Amino acid sequence: MTTMDTTVLTRPPSLARHLARGAALSPLKRPSPDAEFPHTRLVLPDGRVDLARLATYERVCGFSTGEDALPVTYPHVLGFPLAMRLMSDRAFPLPLLGLVHTSIALTRHRTLPATGQYELTVYVDHLAPHRRGTEATVVTELRTGNTLAWESSSTYLARHRTATPSSEPRTTEPPAPLPTLTEWRLPADLGRRYGAASGDRNPIHLHPLTARLFGFPRAIAHGMWTVARCLAEHGVPERATVRADFKAPLLLPGTVSYGAQDGRFELRGTGERLHVTGQVGAP
């Protein structure tokens, strides 16, 4: 078992600095599921919420504003600068440019006041083969005192040629659609608006030109926007687990249908194309 080092931070990392660093180093990366990666836990012991930025996030994602409680997805935003510091490190083998968020599983153990003080911990758990490349799993933990209040596990895919096929099963028959509850028209600038609120300014989300550099005909919506928007519509209990899988890129602008039933939710686009599936349950 590999021992993890712990690095304690005195302030949140600069997103702009680490995004730029990751972009500059991306052409030098050689992704592989067998590659070495940083075995470091980054800890920010005094994390606080910028209430103005939180309000912007809530508006973009459809959450109620003005409440002293963090949306269930917001700790991901708080931990994102730490994740970017790890994934922009020279020793991290996956290129930051073009990295695609493919899933998130999170658990909220208690209500999180927006005015609270939190300890954030982020680390890369492992790499794994994927039929389209290599996935990294990044864990984020949020504590109040010594109590774990929220935790998540996200997977990020670097697409590249693979020498051998993955054992990951392919879905041959798409699931039947859930009952449609509403429809949303998504503007072309949604990726830029969510990027400004969350700090995630991956080029694939911002403009058609930068998205085309990575094989997308237009900018695509952030996966975390899609799940946040679904959960804002669905509602989440004080203590809950959420699992979401990002199935296909959601091109901007576009129109999607939100469906939900028995704790499950989904977004479907043109031609019933499935973009995100998820489920809300008890912890």
Side-chain angles (χ1 to χ4, degrees):
M1 179 179 294
T2 303
T3 302
M4 276 202 176
D5 299 322
T6 298
T7 299
V8 179
L9 307 177
T10 58
R11 66 184 67 180
S14 166
L15 263 176
R17 174 187 170 190
H18 290 292
L19 285 168
R21 181 187 184 192
L25 291 173
S26 286
L28 307 178
K29 300 299 181 77
R30 297 294 180 264
S32 166
D34 301 321
E36 285 297 315
F37 59 90
H39 296 280
T40 303
R41 292 177 185 266
L42 294 182
V43 179
L44 181 66
D46 186 16
R48 297 178 184 272
V49 177
D50 181 325
L51 297 181
R53 184 176 173 188
L54 171 62
T56 300
Y57 175 89
E58 290 170 332
R59 287 192 295 270
V60 170
C61 297
F63 290 105
S64 299
T65 59
E67 299 180 358
D68 187 23
L70 297 180
V72 66
T73 49
Y74 200 71
H76 174 86
V77 174
L78 296 178
F80 189 67
L82 283 73
M84 284 300 98
R85 173 166 164 171
L86 288 172
M87 291 192 288
S88 67
D89 191 276
R90 185 178 295 274
F92 184 71
L94 308 188
L96 192 61
L97 285 182
L99 206 61
V100 178
H101 197 180
T102 51
S103 75
I104 184 169
L106 67 86
T107 300
R108 181 170 65 184
H109 300 283
R110 54 179 294 184
T111 298
L112 306 171
T115 52
Q117 176 181 340
Y118 301 106
E119 179 184 276
L120 284 161
T121 301
V122 178
Y123 58 93
V124 180
D125 187 66
H126 65 273
L127 304 180
H130 185 279
R131 62 185 176 86
R132 292 184 178 176
T134 298
E135 272 188 336
T137 296
V138 178
V139 173
T140 301
E141 299 170 344
L142 183 145
R143 290 177 171 80
T144 56
N146 294 321
T147 303
L148 183 63
W150 186 98
E151 58 187 315
S152 75
S153 178
S154 284
T155 56
Y156 295 91
L157 173 65
R159 297 183 297 175
H160 61 86
R161 290 184 178 180
T162 56
T164 56
S166 168
S167 59
E168 175 187 302
R170 294 185 183 220
T171 302
T172 56
E173 189 68 27
L178 298 176
T180 298
L181 302 184
T182 189
E183 187 176 270
W184 299 321
R185 294 184 179 180
L186 312 183
D189 68 346
L190 177 61
R192 296 190 290 277
R193 291 171 54 208
Y194 181 83
S198 67
D200 184 354
R201 292 184 171 88
N202 189 321
I204 62 177
H205 303 301
L206 303 182
H207 296 278
L209 179 60
T210 54
R212 281 197 290 270
L213 295 175
F214 301 96
F216 299 103
R218 303 197 301 273
I220 64 173
H222 292 73
M224 283 307 297
W225 179 86
T226 64
V227 69
R229 185 66 188 90
C230 287
L231 293 174
E233 190 75 18
H234 187 282
V236 181
E238 177 181 351
R239 299 177 65 250
T241 61
V242 176
R243 167 78 193 197
D245 293 286
F246 309 117
K247 297 294 189 180
L250 175 49
L251 298 176
L252 298 173
T255 300
V256 291
S257 298
Y258 165 77
Q261 186 178 54
D262 299 330
R264 294 178 295 148
F265 60 86
E266 67 181 22
L267 280 185
R268 288 181 181 267
T270 305
E272 295 294 320
R273 191 181 193 193
L274 191 58
H275 294 291
V276 60
T277 63
Q279 185 158 5
V280 178

